[in-house]
C-alpha cells in the first residue's frame, strides 16, 4: 500500500497570513497519463470531508482561489494564501493512483 | 439537490452483523463507482470498499475482506454494505462517497455510526 505522510500534524495560523501543508507519498503518484493522482480534502468539525483539490493542483468547484495545490511525484503542498477563520478543520491528502486508496494522517488547522 | 444519506448504523456485539445503506439522489448510481470510507471519531480516514458501475467488480480493504460485502441497487439508487463478524476495531463512522474517472470523492454523505462492543 502507498503510505501518505502529512506534516505538520497541527498548524496554528494567523488570519490573513499564508499557510502550507506538506504531503509525501511512499511511491510516485505520477501516472503514465502525466497527472499526479493526489487529492486534498478538508473536514470541518462535525462534518464529512469536502473535496478541495484534485489531481494535485485543480481546485474543486466552489473552492476559493486562496487555496492552491502543487507538487509532483512524491512531494505535494497545499497552500492557503491568506488564511481565514472559516479555514479551520482537518486537512487530509489522499492518493488515488493505486488501490487501496490511502489517506494521510491529517493536519489540524486552527486560528491563533 | 445532490444527496447521499447513510443509515443502518447502531450498536452491535462482537460477532454480530449490520447492513448499512446509502440512499442517493440528484445523480444516478449508474454513472459512478461507489465507495465506503470509515473514520474513528477524531482519527483519520480509511477506505473500506468499492463497487463498479454494474455492481460486478468489488474490492475491499484487507481488514474487512471476507467479512463485508458491498452491493448496489440501481433501481432504488441505493448502495449497501453488509457487515458480518463485526469486531471492536470496526467501530467507526461509515461514509459513502463516489468516483467517476479522475473525480474522486467529490461528495460525501453525513455518515452513520457503527459501534461494536460487548
Amino acid at each position: 500500500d502507498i503510505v501518505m505522510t502529512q506534516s505538520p500534524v497541527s498548524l496554528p495560523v494567523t488570519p490573513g497570513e499564508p499557510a502550507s501543508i506538506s504531503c509525501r507519498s511512499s511511491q510516485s503518484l505520477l501516472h503514465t497519463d502525466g497527472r499526479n493522482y493526489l487529492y486534498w480534502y478538508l473536514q470541518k468539525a462535525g462534518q464529512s470531508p469536502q473535496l478541495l483539490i484534485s489531481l494535485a493542483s485543480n481546485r474543486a468547484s466552489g473552492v476559493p482561489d486562496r487555496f492552491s495545490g502543487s507538487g509532483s511525484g512524491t512531494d505535494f503542498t497545499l497552500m492557503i494564501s491568506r488564511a481565514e477563520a472559516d479555514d479551520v478543520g482537518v486537512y487530509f491528502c489522499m492518493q488515488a493512483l493505486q488501490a487501496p486508496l490511502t489517506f494521510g494522517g491529517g493536519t489540524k488547522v486552527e486560528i491563533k | 439537490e445532490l444527496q447521499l444519506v447513510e443509515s443502518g448504523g447502531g450498536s452491535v456485539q462482537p460477532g454480530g452483523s449490520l447492513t448499512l445503506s446509502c440512499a442517493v439522489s440528484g445523480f444516478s448510481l449508474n454513472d459512478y463507482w461507489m465507495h465506503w470510507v470509515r473514520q474513528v471519531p477524531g482519527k483519520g480516514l480509511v477506505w473500506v470498499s468499492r463497487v463498479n458501475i454494474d455492481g460486478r467488480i468489488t474490492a475491499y480493504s484487507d481488514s474487512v475482506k471476507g467479512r463485508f460485502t458491498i452491493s448496489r441497487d440501481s433501481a432504488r439508487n441505493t448502495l449497501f454494505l453488509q457487515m458480518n463478524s463485526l469486531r471492536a476495531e470496526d467501530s467507526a463512522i461509515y461514509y459513502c462517497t463516489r468516483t467517476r474517472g479522475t473525480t474522486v470523492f467529490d461528495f460525501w454523505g453525513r455518515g452513520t455510526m457503527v459501534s461494536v462492543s460487548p
Side-chain angles (χ1 to χ4, degrees):
Chain A
D1 297 1
I2 296 177
V3 177
M4 306 298 291
T5 303
Q6 285 182 239
S7 61
V9 172
S10 178
L11 180 61
V13 300
T14 301
E17 294 296 309
S20 68
I21 299 170
S22 172
C23 177
R24 290 186 172 179
S25 56
S26 61
Q27 300 174 37
S28 175
L29 302 184
L30 182 61
H31 192 276
T32 53
D33 65 8
R35 295 180 288 193
N36 286 278
Y37 280 68
L38 186 282
Y39 295 74
W40 289 98
Y41 300 86
L42 165 61
Q43 186 174 32
K44 297 182 178 181
Q47 297 184 18
S48 51
Q50 58 188 88
L51 177 65
L52 293 177
I53 302 286
S54 295
L55 298 172
S57 61
N58 299 322
R59 269 190 309 277
S61 176
V63 174
D65 61 7
R66 65 178 182 276
F67 290 94
S68 64
S70 64
S72 183
T74 61
D75 290 335
F76 300 90
T77 302
L78 176 70
M79 283 281 306
I80 308 174
S81 59
R82 295 173 304 279
E84 296 186 4
D86 190 50
D87 298 338
V88 299
V90 181
Y91 291 75
F92 294 96
C93 62
M94 186 199 76
Q95 67 81 19
L97 179 71
Q98 180 185 113
L101 305 185
T102 48
F103 294 85
T107 295
K108 185 174 184 178
V109 170
E110 52 194 9
I111 297 295
K112 283 183 181 176
Chain B
E1 180 188 4
L2 194 152
Q3 281 193 315
L4 298 87
V5 180
E6 301 93 339
S7 61
S11 295
V12 63
Q13 292 187 335
S17 299
L18 278 176
T19 298
L20 306 184
S21 300
C22 172
V24 311
S25 57
F27 71 98
S28 171
L29 277 187
N30 292 331
D31 295 331
Y32 289 85
W33 291 43
M34 296 299 295
H35 302 249
W36 290 98
V37 174
R38 69 185 182 186
Q39 182 179 38
V40 173
K43 302 297 183 182
L45 297 161
V46 179
W47 174 83
V48 173
S49 181
R50 66 159 168 82
V51 61
N52 76 330
I53 290 175
D54 64 12
R56 296 183 183 183
I57 302 174
T58 59
Y60 302 90
S61 65
D62 286 346
S63 61
V64 308
K65 199 174 297 181
R67 300 187 297 121
F68 289 12
T69 302
I70 190 172
S71 62
R72 58 197 294 160
D73 184 335
S74 294
R76 295 166 57 189
N77 241 16
T78 303
L79 174 72
F80 301 98
L81 187 68
Q82 171 70 42
M83 304 186 297
N84 298 327
S85 303
L86 282 162
R87 306 167 180 168
E89 55 265 34
D90 295 319
S91 298
I93 300 168
Y94 285 73
Y95 297 100
C96 64
T97 183
R98 67 181 194 174
T99 62
R100 183 168 66 175
T102 58
T103 300
V104 180
F105 300 173
D106 61 333
F107 284 98
W108 300 60
R110 296 174 66 90
T112 186
M113 183 70 203
V114 171
S115 179
V116 184
S117 62

